[in-house]
Each structure stands twice: as C-alpha cells, then as structure tokens.
Amino acid sequence: MPFHIVEKTADILIIGGGTAGCYAALTLAAHEGLSVLIAEKANIRRSGCLAAGVNAINAYIPAGKTPEDYLEYVRWDAAGIIRDDLVLSMARRFNSVVGRLEDLGLVILKDETGAYALRGQWNIKINGENIKPLLSQAVYRAKNVEVLNHVNITDYLILNGRVVGAAGFSVREETAYFLRARAVICTAGGAAGLYRPNNPGFSQHKMWYPPFNTGTGYALGIRAGAEMTTFEMRFVAQRCKDTIAPTGTIALGVGAKQVNAQGEEYTSRYGLSTSGRAYGTTNETHQGRGPCYLNTIGITSRQDEDLLKAYLNMAPSQTLKWLESGKRPSQQNVELEGTEPYVVGGHTASGYWVDTGRRTTLRGLYAAGDVAGGAPKKFVTGALAEGEIAANTALADLPGLPLPEDEALQAQEQAILQTYEQHLTPADTSTVKRYSRHFVPPCRYTSQQLEEAMQKVMDDYAGGIHSSYRYSEAQLDIADERLEGLTALAQDLRGTDTDDLLHIYELKDRLLVCQSLIAHLRARRETRWAGFGFNTDYPGVDDSWQLYVNSRLENGTLKIHYRNLVKEAITFEYPDSNG
C-alpha cells in the first residue's frame, strides 16, 4: 500500500489531546509567534479519560487545607513511594486550574454559602458531562495551535540522543506523518487491555480505564531508551459489578460502607488506603465471605435521586441497571468487584521518570498526565497542572533546542515507513523466520487473537483477576517467555488498511508495556500495595524497599535501576537540567 507523506514542523509537538495535552496547548497558546501542534489518535473533542464526562473534581485544596496536606495524604495512600516534589508542584496549581475550567464554562456546584460544594475531603461536585468539549473548544480557538485528529503516533524521531519529533499514520486514510519539533510533550494515556477484563465478548469494553488507551506513550519512551519508574505499582479499581461504574460517588456521596455477605463492615481490618480497600474486597471474597457490597439499603429517597442523576453524568449503565432491576439503591446493596490491573500514572506512580519541570531522561522530551510517573492521585486537576508545568518548562528550554535538519532524519523516517508498509504487505508463507528461541512462520493470526492470548497469559501468570491479583517469580518467568513468543508473532502481523495497522501497533505497544511491567513486578521483592498486586514469594512490606524501581531499555535488554526516594524536595533536576 503506497502511503501519502505529510511533513509538518512546529516549535512544540504535543502527543495526545486528552486532559493534559489540551491544557498544555492552552498554556502555550498565550505566547504569540509560537507554533504548537497536537497529534491525537481519536478526536480531541471526546478523547481520553474525560471523554464521557465526570461528576466530580477529585483533587482540590479546600479552605483550611494546604498543598502540603495533600502531599501528606498522597504519601500515606501510596505507602511512601511517591515523588514529593512532583505531588507538591501539581497540588499548588489545583485551585488555579479549577478556576480556569470554570471560566471556560464548567458548572461547579455551590453550597448554601456560595462556596464550592465538597464531596469528601478533597473533592468538589461538578456537572462535568461536557468538560472535554469545553477544553477542546478552547484549544480550537487558539490561533497558534494546530490539531491533527485521527493520527496514531508510533515512534519518536531522535537525533544525537535528543527527541526532535515523532512519526505516525492516519487511522482513516493511507497517510504517514513525520512531525518535527524543537520540543515534544508526551501526554498520551496509560495502559488498559493488558489483562483479561471483567466482562467477556461484546461487553469487554466495559472497563474502568478507556480501552483505547493502549500504553503507546509508555511504549514510545521504552523503545527510545527513556527511564521509566514504578510500573509495579499497578492500579486495580474497585467498581460496581458488571457496569464497572465508579464507587466513590456512592461511598462519599451517601456515606455507604463496604460490607461482606454477612453484613460485616470489613475495611477497618485492611486499612482505608486505596490499595487497602481494594485488598479487603479481594481477600474477603477469597476467604469465602463474599460477595462484598456498598451498603446503600436504607438511604433516603433524595439520595436515591442524587445517585441516579450522578451516574447519568459518567456511567449511565449503572443508572440503567438500577432502573431495569426495579429496585432503587435504597432497596438493594451495590455489589463490588475489582477490575483487571492497569498501568496508569494518574492514579499510581507509574510512568516516565521526570524532574520537577517534567523533563524526561531524553533531551527535548517532556511528560505530563497519565504517562508521567512519581505523582499518584493526579485525577483531572493533576493532569491539567502537569500539562501547564511541562508546557512552561519546554517553553523555557526552547532557546537551547534548535529545529533539526530534515536530511538527518530521512533514513530514520524511511525505516519507519517501511515497517508500516511491511504490515500492509501480504505475508510470504514460503519462508520460516527465527526470533530469539522461537521459530515462527509468517503470521496467520489476527491482532485480536494475539491480544486475547496476551491477556490470558497476563491473567493466569502475572497477577490478574483469575489469580486474585497474586503472582510469584515462577509465574512471572512463564509469562515473560510466552510474551516473548507473542511479540515474535506480532512482528509478522498483516493488515489490509490503516485501521488494521492501528490494531497491530496497539498490540505491539501493549506487549512491550507488559514485558516492562513483569520486569518491575519481579524487581520489587515485597508486597507494598496488596490490593494492586500480591507477591506470594514476598508477602510482607519490607522497609528496605522504600525506593523507586526504575527501568531502561539498554542494547535491546530491559535493565532495572534503583533510585533513592526524593523526599521533601522543592525541586529535582537532572545535572544538565534536560535529561
């Protein structure tokens, strides 16, 4: 298939038009004469985690609290494995970005005094169905921002160790894009679909995290040799059974307690951290005291109505489930279940290793939002804040980042183009190739079949739902070997159009993130976050493991690096302030 080639140049390229990406663009839009380009796999109007809306801002500093208080909360919830400088720098911006969202038209609910209506300790209530359209509309109004929708980025362009752009292709037509820039900000989403999900078949998309977030942002960095951190701190969300709707609206909104099948409140036995609550539900069920529920029986009729309306804003399937059952929340408890594990830096500390300015270890590359590691519990406002921080840092670094020479990148771009064309060329079935220790013929599988095989391997051997999130080193070894075989098969996948090509690259990205995740799970020899993953070889918390587990791809091999905790630091910078 011949590709039409499109080449573009900008001062700053933003990969991913979700929450952080849009806000980074809005931050840069204030600087006249600066050219900004956004590359988005979907359409920025309804892409990323905010695509369907949200009914609360989960990170806000209310009256009487400080950013330092939020830092203490996050440190406690993450059992100490965070970057103080990153959490504090984003927390200091929470309220200002909320103010700008309100200026853009977001409806924030008020109490009787006119103050923002609180929901829990750090949350405020909003009518957020249109939060992403409001952000995208503001981006489209910016005269110096160009948006490329439906472009899937596959590779960074690298010159002399510096990221100078990216390559990708249109998911709708036979067009390859080569985008050159003085600086690149990665704001792509985290990784869903690594494990077999709760629901099978046509309902498999009913998961906590967007199924279209395939870990591409992580995979781009891993391939390029960027240092990554804390993948082993997976995230397992506690959700309403079947609908996978959020539970915080029920727990915080009406004060519903978690109870087991005997009606016992059990969270006190496991702790109130996010991981502790998740582990409590998993272990109660594992011990035969399940199913577990949020106890909503007996709430008021007003609370009934509030819950029905709240879920219409973000998870209408839960409202429909109540209505179809003929019983309102006050008449039946809400059953709980854990999701499959995800790698996502917006809730845990997984992602690129960055300095306080959100510079990665690759010069010219910055990260924000779900792909930036070290700062759990970002939520919406943290993603916005990091987008602002990364944008300002990239802007400050621009004088030392000249545009690359076109000729120097041509060989690299040609190699990427050949890979696209290879996946769209019929396979030669007369040959046999050797990858590592696996002999494989040109692939007769589809990307979906290989993806399902990957999910089964991860579920069975790398701590998925099937094993109650438990894993051992022996199981991880099996998973690693089988993923190596699937990765070999994926190199020879073939498709007929760029939609097929998209699914092939999504699979390749997921496989690479899975391999990185396994390396991190193996490297941390303790169980620090039992609800997110239980290491049966090392079932306890070990204080000697108060450190970061980092990794970097070196000469084709993923190497683990350990770093000491960055505590109570106002700023943390690399020696040359840019990787």
Side-chain angles (χ1 to χ4, degrees):
M1 178 182 295
F3 275 84
H4 174 62
I5 307 298
V6 172
E7 297 178 345
K8 288 183 176 290
T9 300
D11 289 315
I12 297 180
L13 168 65
I14 299 171
I15 299 173
T19 311
C22 281
Y23 207 78
L26 290 179
T27 301
L28 296 168
H31 299 272
E32 293 184 8
L34 185 76
S35 59
V36 181
L37 182 62
I38 298 177
E40 162 61 45
K41 181 171 71 172
N43 186 301
I44 68 167
R45 178 174 170 80
R46 288 287 187 185
S47 64
C49 296
L50 296 186
V54 65
N55 73 346
I57 295 293
N58 291 329
Y60 180 80
I61 309 299
K65 296 287 186 180
T66 67
E68 288 74 15
D69 294 329
Y70 193 78
L71 170 63
E72 290 299 323
Y73 161 63
V74 175
R75 187 188 292 125
W76 163 79
D77 193 73
I81 310 301
I82 66 167
R83 283 275 300 280
D84 287 17
D85 59 316
L86 300 182
V87 175
L88 194 57
S89 62
M90 73 180 188
R92 287 172 173 165
R93 288 169 170 80
F94 284 167
N95 293 17
S96 64
V97 298
V98 167
R100 187 164 188 190
L101 284 178
E102 191 169 29
D103 291 340
L104 292 176
L106 180 68
V107 176
I108 304 179
L109 304 186
K110 308 294 197 302
D111 61 20
E112 59 278 2
T113 69
Y116 291 155
L118 294 175
R119 190 198 75 171
Q121 189 174 16
W122 305 104
N123 305 357
I124 57 175
K125 300 177 183 179
I126 65 172
N127 288 340
E129 186 277 337
N130 66 341
I131 187 171
K132 192 64 200 300
L134 290 173
L135 276 171
S136 62
Q137 287 165 13
V139 171
Y140 281 125
R141 288 194 295 267
K143 294 180 180 180
N144 59 342
V145 178
E146 180 183 358
V147 179
L148 291 176
N149 288 315
H150 307 297
V151 173
N152 182 59
I153 298 299
T154 62
D155 299 90
Y156 290 135
L157 299 177
I158 300 176
L159 190 60
N160 299 323
R162 176 188 147 204
V163 176
V164 294
F169 59 86
S170 168
V171 302
R172 292 190 165 184
E173 56 190 13
E174 292 73 45
T175 301
Y177 287 86
F178 297 111
L179 312 174
R180 303 180 184 95
R182 297 166 66 188
V184 177
I185 304 174
C186 184
T187 59
L194 308 179
Y195 289 79
R196 191 158 50 187
N198 294 83
N199 299 308
F202 67 88
S203 293
Q204 62 183 328
H205 65 282
K206 287 187 176 181
M207 54 176 60
W208 167 74
Y209 197 61
F212 316 106
N213 286 357
T214 60
T216 294
Y218 299 138
L220 288 169
I222 295 168
R223 289 193 192 99
E227 187 169 345
M228 314 300 284
T229 189
T230 324
F231 274 29
E232 76 280 7
M233 189 182 181
R234 311 179 304 180
F235 187 68
V236 174
Q238 188 164 227
R239 287 298 183 258
C240 304
K241 184 171 172 57
D242 300 326
T243 64
I244 316 300
T247 57
T249 301
I250 301 172
L252 297 176
V254 301
K257 303 294 184 182
Q258 294 178 208
V259 297
N260 60 23
Q262 283 74 50
E264 302 168 330
E265 192 280 321
Y266 58 84
T267 53
S268 58
R269 295 201 288 267
Y270 302 95
L272 298 178
S273 67
T274 307
S275 173
R277 288 179 179 275
Y279 180 60
T281 300
T282 300
N283 200 54
E284 288 295 300
T285 303
H286 189 73
Q287 296 294 325
R289 294 186 290 274
C292 296
Y293 303 90
L294 280 170
N295 185 13
T296 56
I297 292 178
I299 64 174
T300 67
S301 58
R302 174 63 182 273
Q303 289 174 319
D304 267 338
E305 293 298 323
D306 287 345
L307 288 180
L308 292 172
K309 291 177 181 178
Y311 279 97
L312 285 176
N313 264 336
M314 57 176 177
S317 58
Q318 182 61 35
T319 299
L320 292 174
K321 184 177 181 180
W322 277 318
L323 295 178
E324 288 171 354
S325 71
K327 293 182 179 180
R328 300 221 162 183
S330 60
Q331 299 170 301
Q332 60 180 330
N333 288 334
V334 177
E335 188 174 346
L336 297 171
E337 68 177 345
T339 63
E340 75 275 21
Y342 305 91
V343 178
V344 52
H347 284 255
T348 61
S350 308
Y352 285 85
W353 179 256
V354 295
D355 72 2
T356 310
R358 273 55 176 188
R359 299 177 183 92
T360 73
T361 55
L362 298 178
R363 189 164 182 262
L365 178 65
Y366 308 79
D370 278 347
V371 294
K377 306 192 88 65
K378 292 185 180 79
F379 306 116
V380 174
T381 44
L384 297 170
E386 287 200 325
E388 180 180 53
I389 295 168
N392 286 331
T393 304
L395 187 63
D397 290 345
L398 277 187
L401 300 172
L403 277 171
E405 296 289 338
D406 291 354
E407 294 78 10
L409 296 171
Q410 287 178 354
Q412 190 176 157
E413 292 171 347
Q414 187 61 33
I416 293 168
L417 183 62
Q418 287 176 354
T419 304
Y420 296 166
E421 292 173 341
Q422 175 187 331
H423 283 301
L424 295 177
T425 302
D428 179 3
T429 58
S430 65
T431 63
V432 173
K433 296 183 179 180
R434 177 182 175 86
Y435 293 97
S436 185
R437 58 182 178 274
H438 298 275
F439 285 96
V440 293
C443 197
R444 294 187 176 90
Y445 302 100
T446 66
S447 57
Q448 181 176 349
Q449 288 170 331
L450 293 186
E451 182 176 285
E452 289 176 358
M454 173 197 71
Q455 290 174 344
K456 177 172 171 54
V457 168
M458 294 296 288
D459 190 49
D460 287 350
Y461 298 107
I465 297 171
H466 176 75
S467 59
S468 298
Y469 312 111
R470 296 167 182 260
Y471 58 88
S472 66
E473 188 168 345
Q475 289 174 314
L476 294 178
D477 288 343
I478 295 172
D480 214 9
E481 180 179 355
R482 296 192 180 180
L483 287 174
E484 186 180 345
L486 292 173
T487 300
L489 289 172
Q491 306 312 310
D492 276 324
L493 281 171
R494 296 293 189 269
T496 59
D497 56 26
T498 54
D499 183 62
D500 288 343
L501 188 62
L502 170 67
H503 295 304
I504 290 170
Y505 267 91
E506 288 181 332
L507 170 66
K508 288 164 64 172
D509 291 342
R510 281 178 165 135
L511 283 166
L512 183 56
V513 174
C514 283
Q515 290 171 308
S516 182
L517 170 59
I518 287 171
H520 279 251
L521 290 173
R522 185 187 288 114
R524 182 173 286 278
R525 298 184 173 183
E526 65 162 356
T527 297
R528 183 163 292 265
W529 310 284
F532 299 160
F534 196 99
N535 188 333
T536 56
D537 291 330
Y538 304 95
V541 177
D542 185 343
D543 286 344
S544 67
W545 284 93
Q546 291 191 30
L547 45 77
Y548 308 112
V549 176
N550 290 8
S551 63
R552 191 197 297 260
L553 192 65
E554 300 175 8
N555 299 318
T557 301
L558 202 66
K559 298 290 183 66
I560 293 294
H561 303 271
Y562 297 101
R563 285 185 180 259
N564 293 326
L565 295 185
V566 179
K567 284 190 173 183
E568 300 176 1
I570 298 175
T571 59
F572 169 83
E573 292 185 349
Y574 299 118
D576 65 356
S577 294
N578 204 328

